[in-house]
Amino acid sequence: MTKRETSGTEITARVAVVLTCHNRRDATLKSLRYLFAQDLPPQTFISAFLVDDGSSDGTGAAVAEEFPQVTLFPGSGSLYWSGGMRLAFGEALKRDFDYFFWLNDDALLEPGAIARLIGTHRRLAVDGRECSIIVGAFTDPDTGDLTYGGVVRSSQVHPLKFRLVPLSDEPQLCDAANGNAVLIPASVARMAGNLEPGFRHGMGDFDYCLRAQKLGCSAWAAPGAVGTCRRNGVRNSWKDPQLAFGKRVRCIFNIKGLPFREYSRFARLHGGALWPVFCVLPYMRMFMESLSVSFHPKLNSKQKVA
């Protein structure tokens, strides 16, 4: 662990908070308010690096006015999540921090969230697991259901299928993570570097954790939940079986869907010897679902006539 001794056994921790945003002014401001209201451990300091990716709703100006301590970087409007986070993370990596903390701009942290993540890492470091990524889980503010967090592979056959790690009172090993709240110690960042430029929006967070593990690091889901964050719905997305087939096709190949070039890269890197097979499965499944839905009314009609 990178340590700076102050007095006695007191340790100073400098945390770089990395965010990106686009046209979610109110959500971004609210997330930052929760961030700067954190109950931090003694001698712990946070600095925020935010990419405003071409927002047209005044997000950047509003952040600069309310949070002058935030270091802002302008984006072109076409960086998306991985691109924006890569820019902010890259700037933070140029400076001397003990931790780098990815935070989604619509996530609301509990007051002790960062302290718990740091505490989890220090606990693992004492056990010889210094190079550990710590993942924070989120729940839905209305239902309390788990929405984001650490994930593990859910199939012994299909290496690209994942499920969320359930909440626990103890740290749990995971394979990858949703990038909503991820604490990366400097020891990991020195090995794994920045987010992979081959991923523009999705998959960059999963890839980072999987890549870090291949370098000898590990990923752990922190105890409990660190805050609230609503999960993105499937309606009008490529996962929506009721969406017209043509629209589903456009959605799945869209940058916010499952663009084939990027997913094939992800599959090649992390799908094992049979990666070409696993790569095409989501597209085949979408096609079969849409086909089934298209013929469903006709099948029902035949059943009624019979």
Side-chain angles (χ1 to χ4, degrees), residues 11-12 31 38 41 61 69 91 101 111 182 206 210 216 221 240 275 288 299 303:
I11 301 170
T12 296
S31 181
Q38 285 291 293
Q69 70 271 42
E91 291 296 329
F101 180 46
V182 179
F206 277 40
L210 292 168
D240 183 356
W275 73 264
M288 297 304 295
L299 290 173
Q303 289 174 352

Side-chain angles (χ1 to χ4, degrees), residues 54-237:
S55 295
S56 58
D57 64 351
T59 300
V63 169
E65 181 179 355
E66 187 171 346
F67 302 101
Q69 70 271 42
V70 172
T71 303
L72 274 165
F73 301 94
S76 62
S78 58
L79 291 175
Y80 296 92
W81 187 86
S82 286
M85 292 295 283
R86 185 164 55 252
L87 173 55
F89 193 16
E91 291 296 329
L93 285 169
K94 296 176 183 178
R95 312 182 194 194
D96 185 23
F97 288 100
D98 303 292
Y99 296 100
F100 302 89
F101 180 46
W102 298 351
L103 178 65
N104 241 41
D105 75 315
D106 62 342
L108 304 180
L109 295 171
E110 292 182 353
I114 292 178
R116 189 189 316 163
L117 295 174
I118 292 175
T120 301
H121 176 258
R122 288 179 171 167
R123 173 180 168 185
L124 291 168
V126 169
D127 292 335
R129 299 185 178 96
E130 156 65 27
C131 296
S132 296
I133 296 170
I134 311 300
V135 186
F138 288 94
T139 57
D140 185 278
D142 298 322
T143 65
D145 293 337
L146 182 65
T147 53
Y148 295 104
V151 300
V152 292
R153 287 187 168 96
S154 58
S155 170
Q156 294 183 342
V157 177
H158 193 331
L160 302 181
K161 289 186 71 174
F162 299 89
R163 62 171 176 81
L164 282 167
V165 175
L167 297 180
S168 172
D169 293 332
E170 294 293 327
Q172 301 176 87
L173 268 174
C174 51
D175 294 312
N178 300 130
N180 300 62
V182 179
L183 186 74
I184 301 169
S187 57
V188 172
R190 282 192 292 270
M191 288 191 285
N194 204 339
L195 287 153
E196 170 63 44
F199 303 108
R200 295 172 293 171
H201 184 63
M203 294 173 276
D205 46 6
F206 277 40
D207 169 76
Y208 192 89
C209 291
L210 292 168
R211 187 159 44 87
Q213 288 178 74
K214 292 176 182 178
L215 296 172
C217 306
S218 57
W220 295 79
V226 297
T228 60
C229 186
R230 286 187 170 84
R231 188 165 187 85
N232 294 329
V234 301
R235 188 176 180 183
N236 292 323
S237 75

Side-chain angles (χ1 to χ4, degrees), residues 1-13 43 98:
M1 186 188 308
T2 302
K3 300 180 180 180
R4 292 179 183 81
E5 299 299 334
T6 53
S7 60
T9 59
E10 198 172 38
I11 301 170
T12 296
Q43 297 301 312
D98 303 292

Side-chain angles (χ1 to χ4, degrees), residues 269-293:
L269 290 171
H270 307 296
L274 296 178
W275 73 264
V277 175
F278 301 126
C279 177
V280 300
L281 287 181
Y283 307 96
M284 292 178 61
R285 183 166 57 248
M286 185 210 71
F287 177 78
M288 297 304 295
E289 278 182 359
S290 294
L291 194 66
S292 175
V293 170

Side-chain angles (χ1 to χ4, degrees), residues 46-60:
I46 61 174
S47 300
F49 296 78
L50 171 66
V51 168
D52 178 24
D53 189 24
S55 295
S56 58
D57 64 351
T59 300

